[in-house]
Amino acid sequence: MNVEQSSLSFWNHKFDEVWIDPDVAESDISKRFIEFFPEKVKIASYKSQQGVMSPLQFDQSKRKVHLTRFKGSFFKKCPGHTKGMACCNYFVLNLGFQCDMNCSYCYLQSFINSDALTVYTNGTDAFQELDTYFQQNPKTRVRVGTGELIDSLSLDPLTLYSRSLIRYFKDRPQWKLEFKTKSAFVDQFINEPHIGNVIVSWSLNPQNIVSSEEHGTASLHDRLDAALKCKEHGFPVAFHIDPMIWHENWKSNYQQLVQEICERFQPQDVAHLSMGAIRFQPEQKSFMRERFGMDSLITQAELFKGRDGKMRYDAELRKEMFKFLRNQFLNISDSWKIFLCMETPETWLESTGSHPYKQESIKDMFQSAPSIKAKKFEKPSVHPS
Amino acid sequence: MDKHKLSLENDSKALSYGLRGKALSLFSLSWKGHWITPAKEHFQEVGDQPLMTVLEEVFKNLDLVDTCRLWQNCCEIGFDQEVPKKQFFKIFGFPINPRTESLPEVFIKLSDECLQWIRKRRFSFGDFVPILSLTSTEDISRLLKPLSQCDLSRSEGRKALDLLVDLKMMNREVPTASNKIEWMQQLEMNRFPNTQKRDEVKEQLYDSLPKYGNYRGVRQGDQWSHSLTVQFSEHADGVKKLKALVDKMETLNP
């Protein structure tokens, strides 16, 4: 048993059903789920309902796990690369989709169209895709993240994907892997030998935002403690202060957050810091309003359609927020590597003083990388709704 | 399709739209002795065909409102057992999904005025998703009243509906409908007060600028900018006015 007995009730509380397709029942991941959820596992072909979901169905999809084989492409360019936005050339490796946590602003609410939290068991196929790209582009420095459609680590004590990923990247020193999480689960991989190219990153917000908007996630304190543990074991860490959320005392709360980070970490410990402000597809608004009412700072927010069609704060306000947060870090040290996520070149210029391509500390991240050749007969299981 | 006249004395479960006081474009139809549409002077019996085939052939071009009414009638005589809701609405070109499946029932309870507006502006179910956040049908009827009163276009209606639902759920003041443009502006002011205040501060600049210019703030989505118009009679006049304006702006914001 890889999951500690002490956390049994935590996991059992999370899921109502675990469906395992018969053809993957013998996989390592399936065996662990069978061992851990003996009374909830059903080994049978699960026909997931596809299409637009109601808020209730979306809630239920978080409580139903489906282990299956993925026949599409695991490895993709980050979809944040949209018209008019400065792109940091991030690649994503999707080993599942949907999340067991429940952030009010989560973009999966306008994306997920399947009624189960899906975990792919054929990770070896994902590695083959990485191999192909690696062979075609041996000198390209690529950053790969696993936290786009599913949290990188919140289910990792069950899947243990982190271990095989760390082992894979150990042989590819010019590539970087990033786990992105709002959980505090690091013990399962912390003793895994690595070469320092696996970045463990946390999406952070002040504790009042964690409490009001990031339901079911680890507290700020627990996330920072987990990050410290990673640092002590030689893993580079990174922080994404994203999405920043405007609220009455936003300045003092974000200032406090910066202090908490800087008390524990030096710039050299942190691979990068990213900032972003709340953004989502317009269609998502009603969905969030139905799920969280108007008590949420997200549904209350004053948002307008941005150049990319997403709902965003007023551009001036965003610049003010980014500038404020960036200055908080730079007042402590000018060595922090800070970048903006999914923002316009204008916002970059006015918030940071220059375009990302011209900033010494981060310009490498913004060099374009070769695209990925699509698999033939790809059958995606999710698409933007 | 065979069509036979039946008498009104037939023991059908006559369903009358007239009882609900709603004008309809549907003509009278009876299926296996059950009235599907209002029985008036002329009606047709088409009971030897599958119901869905009948409906599809007879009502080729129903609008959203009439489709909802037809569905309601079918439900009242138990035909919803024979025709799944999803299939029914898909056939008439108004697909529903788990998100919008409760809207037909909401629609048929709306006032005639609202329904006329919905019909006129050719709304779809998706346009009314914001009202799913509300719980009371009474709220919905009252909420939609100013939209139809102002006869908003479809895009205006969508925007206003979203703002109205927000204001309602935030317990903020919902302005009374009068002039359409002013009402929409008031809706936005009540929904975005902080942004409004920030924009007003930026507009204070105009008090210090030469009076011959016409200045206003313009919001386009998340971007706000100044717009100015300067009229001049001849080139020299234009140069003079623009130079004075630039000089003034430089002193204000060097």
Side-chain angles (χ1 to χ4, degrees):
Chain A
M1 178 72 69
N2 292 301
V3 181
E4 289 181 21
Q5 292 297 321
S6 60
S7 62
L8 268 172
S9 64
F10 170 83
W11 290 103
N12 261 314
H13 207 67
K14 269 193 178 286
F15 306 119
D16 298 326
E17 297 169 31
V18 177
W19 288 79
I20 301 176
D21 286 350
D23 63 326
V24 302
E26 292 302 312
S27 69
D28 290 344
I29 293 176
S30 298
K31 283 176 187 168
R32 276 194 294 280
F33 272 83
I34 292 166
E35 187 182 7
F36 204 69
F37 302 100
E39 289 165 11
K40 294 182 178 178
V41 162
K42 291 172 188 166
I43 299 176
S45 290
Y46 179 73
K47 290 264 183 240
S48 79
Q49 289 189 6
Q50 304 268 315
V52 177
M53 282 198 286
S54 69
L56 177 65
Q57 287 173 318
F58 185 84
D59 289 340
Q60 289 168 341
S61 73
K62 289 178 173 288
R63 302 191 56 80
K64 191 191 289 179
V65 180
H66 178 206
L67 304 186
T68 189
R69 176 185 300 278
F70 185 46
K71 295 174 185 129
S73 296
F74 290 88
F75 186 50
K76 293 177 177 174
K77 190 127 190 183
C78 169
H81 177 47
T82 50
K83 191 183 165 190
M85 300 292 137
C87 171
C88 68
N89 288 302
Y90 199 63
F91 286 78
V92 293
L93 189 72
N94 296 320
L95 297 166
F97 63 90
Q98 188 43 300
C99 181
D100 58 312
M101 298 178 283
N102 195 18
C103 298
S104 61
Y105 51 76
C106 180
Y107 87 105
L108 292 177
Q109 292 170 105
S110 63
F111 191 83
I112 294 287
N113 62 357
S114 176
D115 66 349
L117 192 168
T118 304
V119 175
Y120 304 129
T121 54
N122 52 327
T124 47
D125 292 341
F127 293 134
Q128 276 178 14
E129 279 183 45
L130 289 174
D131 278 343
T132 305
Y133 187 84
F134 185 74
Q135 283 156 13
Q136 289 164 351
N137 309 284
K139 290 182 180 170
T140 305
R141 289 193 287 177
V142 171
R143 294 184 304 127
V144 183
T146 56
E148 187 213 2
L149 298 179
I150 191 165
D151 186 280
S152 293
L153 298 177
S154 71
L155 296 175
D156 198 54
L158 300 171
T159 66
L160 297 179
Y161 261 133
S162 60
R163 293 185 188 171
S164 44
L165 282 161
I166 291 169
R167 282 173 210 150
Y168 181 87
F169 275 77
K170 198 161 161 268
D171 298 329
R172 286 145 186 94
Q174 74 277 41
W175 281 28
K176 283 183 179 167
L177 171 69
E178 181 176 358
F179 296 136
K180 196 184 281 187
T181 188
K182 287 194 186 95
S183 78
F185 295 128
V186 296
D187 289 343
Q188 70 279 7
F189 67 80
I190 203 77
N191 292 316
E192 196 67 30
H194 64 96
I195 57 165
N197 63 343
V198 177
I199 301 163
V200 192
S201 76
W202 277 266
S203 171
L204 297 181
N205 250 313
Q207 183 55 46
N208 66 308
I209 300 294
V210 173
S211 302
S212 72
E213 309 299 332
E214 299 179 348
H215 311 289
T217 62
S219 68
L220 171 64
H221 187 263
D222 286 351
R223 290 182 216 179
L224 290 173
D225 275 357
L228 260 184
K229 197 181 278 185
C230 288
K231 175 190 145 184
E232 285 159 7
H233 283 77
F235 287 97
V237 297
F239 299 116
H240 304 278
I241 305 179
D242 188 4
M244 286 183 79
I245 293 169
W246 186 93
H247 55 286
E248 207 167 327
N249 299 314
W250 71 273
K251 284 189 178 175
S252 60
N253 289 330
Y254 279 99
Q255 192 172 28
Q256 175 69 25
L257 173 65
V258 172
Q259 279 172 12
E260 293 193 47
I261 294 169
C262 295
E263 279 166 9
R264 295 167 171 87
F265 300 93
Q266 300 295 315
Q268 63 269 22
D269 304 325
V270 180
H272 54 259
L273 281 161
S274 79
M275 304 183 291
I278 186 71
R279 56 202 176 272
F280 54 80
Q281 296 293 343
E283 307 79 56
Q284 192 176 314
K285 186 183 168 192
S286 287
F287 207 82
M288 294 188 292
R289 195 165 42 197
E290 280 177 68
R291 296 186 71 228
F292 299 100
M294 293 305 278
D295 294 332
S296 159
L297 291 166
I298 309 301
T299 49
Q300 286 172 20
E302 298 186 12
L303 305 172
F304 306 90
K305 204 175 259 192
R307 194 182 293 175
D308 58 353
K310 289 180 186 167
M311 302 305 290
R312 293 171 176 267
Y313 292 126
D314 169 63
E316 288 293 323
L317 179 61
R318 298 207 309 272
K319 286 170 202 163
E320 184 189 340
M321 292 169 78
F322 296 147
K323 209 167 184 174
F324 175 83
L325 186 64
R326 187 169 182 268
N327 285 341
Q328 296 304 307
F329 281 108
L330 297 183
N331 287 343
I332 293 167
S333 166
D334 58 6
S335 304
W336 297 102
K337 293 175 194 161
I338 305 173
F339 72 97
L340 299 178
C341 187
M342 295 190 199
E343 270 300 343
T344 61
E346 290 91 329
T347 310
W348 268 94
L349 192 60
E350 292 181 39
S351 307
T352 70
S354 69
H355 292 298
Y357 319 100
K358 294 180 180 171
Q359 295 184 29
E360 200 55 43
S361 60
I362 54 172
K363 69 178 184 186
D364 282 356
M365 293 166 79
F366 287 80
Q367 283 174 0
S368 64
S371 55
I372 303 163
K373 286 175 186 164
K375 258 185 176 181
K376 266 188 176 179
F377 310 116
E378 185 176 333
K379 189 187 167 194
S381 66
V382 289
H383 60 78
S385 50
Chain B
M1 188 192 309
D2 291 336
K3 295 171 183 171
H4 309 287
K5 268 195 169 184
L6 289 182
S7 75
L8 280 172
E9 287 72 37
N10 190 295
D11 62 348
S12 63
K13 300 171 187 175
L15 295 168
S16 170
Y17 287 104
L19 288 175
R20 294 179 201 92
K22 289 169 181 173
L24 264 190
S25 58
L26 301 179
F27 62 87
S28 304
L29 186 73
S30 163
W31 185 73
K32 292 185 178 175
H34 299 292
W35 296 110
I36 299 168
T37 57
K40 292 182 184 170
E41 288 181 3
H42 305 291
F43 49 87
Q44 293 157 333
E45 167 59 42
V46 286
D48 55 346
Q49 302 280 328
L51 178 62
M52 208 54 237
T53 308
V54 172
L55 297 178
E56 199 177 351
E57 285 189 25
V58 174
F59 304 112
K60 282 179 180 161
N61 297 306
L62 283 190
D63 63 27
L64 181 65
V65 173
D66 280 346
T67 306
C68 291
R69 288 174 176 171
L70 185 61
W71 170 250
Q72 185 196 23
N73 279 9
C74 288
C75 290
E76 286 186 15
I77 52 179
F79 288 169
D80 53 325
Q81 303 295 318
E82 307 209 17
V83 184
K85 189 175 186 179
K86 199 173 171 182
Q87 188 194 342
F88 179 91
F89 281 96
K90 190 178 174 188
I91 280 171
F92 289 105
F94 301 104
I96 55 170
N97 56 49
R99 196 97 171 78
T100 56
E101 67 184 353
S102 62
L103 284 175
E105 283 73 17
V106 175
F107 271 39
I108 52 178
K109 290 175 186 160
L110 296 175
S111 68
D112 281 351
E113 191 184 11
C114 283
L115 290 173
Q116 294 286 12
W117 175 64
I118 290 168
R119 174 180 281 146
K120 180 181 171 187
R121 297 301 188 185
R122 297 174 180 270
F123 282 100
S124 70
F125 284 130
D127 296 326
F128 283 84
V129 158
I131 64 176
L132 295 169
S133 305
L134 300 169
T135 48
S136 153
T137 50
E138 191 188 347
D139 279 342
I140 294 165
S141 286
R142 204 183 309 150
L143 206 71
L144 290 180
K145 199 174 175 186
L147 302 179
S148 52
Q149 275 178 346
C150 289
D151 194 25
L152 299 182
S153 68
R154 187 175 172 189
S155 62
E156 289 168 338
R158 276 197 298 233
K159 185 177 176 184
L161 185 58
D162 192 49
L163 293 170
L164 276 172
V165 171
D166 274 356
L167 291 176
K168 182 83 189 161
M169 291 180 73
M170 293 168 100
N171 293 319
R172 288 193 189 162
E173 188 190 345
V174 175
T176 313
S178 51
N179 175 296
K180 179 169 99 171
I181 296 168
E182 283 175 15
W183 186 66
M184 290 288 283
Q185 284 173 344
Q186 192 60 48
L187 275 180
E188 293 192 340
M189 282 167 70
N190 292 4
R191 177 61 185 87
F192 307 119
N194 295 326
T195 308
Q196 188 72 27
K197 273 181 212 157
R198 281 198 302 274
D199 291 351
E200 281 170 5
V201 168
K202 285 180 274 191
E203 286 172 9
Q204 285 171 6
L205 167 74
Y206 310 149
D207 297 338
S208 313
L209 296 180
K211 301 300 174 203
Y212 52 74
N214 186 9
Y215 315 98
R216 63 190 179 95
V218 180
R219 174 162 291 287
Q220 283 186 312
D222 66 342
Q223 308 284 328
W224 187 94
S225 57
H226 296 285
S227 165
L228 70 90
T229 312
V230 177
Q231 291 188 338
F232 54 91
S233 52
E234 54 188 34
H235 182 263
D237 180 41
V239 171
K240 187 180 162 191
K241 283 179 172 172
L242 289 173
K243 187 171 183 312
L245 182 64
V246 170
D247 289 347
K248 184 68 188 174
M249 286 186 75
E250 281 179 349
T251 61
L252 293 170
N253 193 11

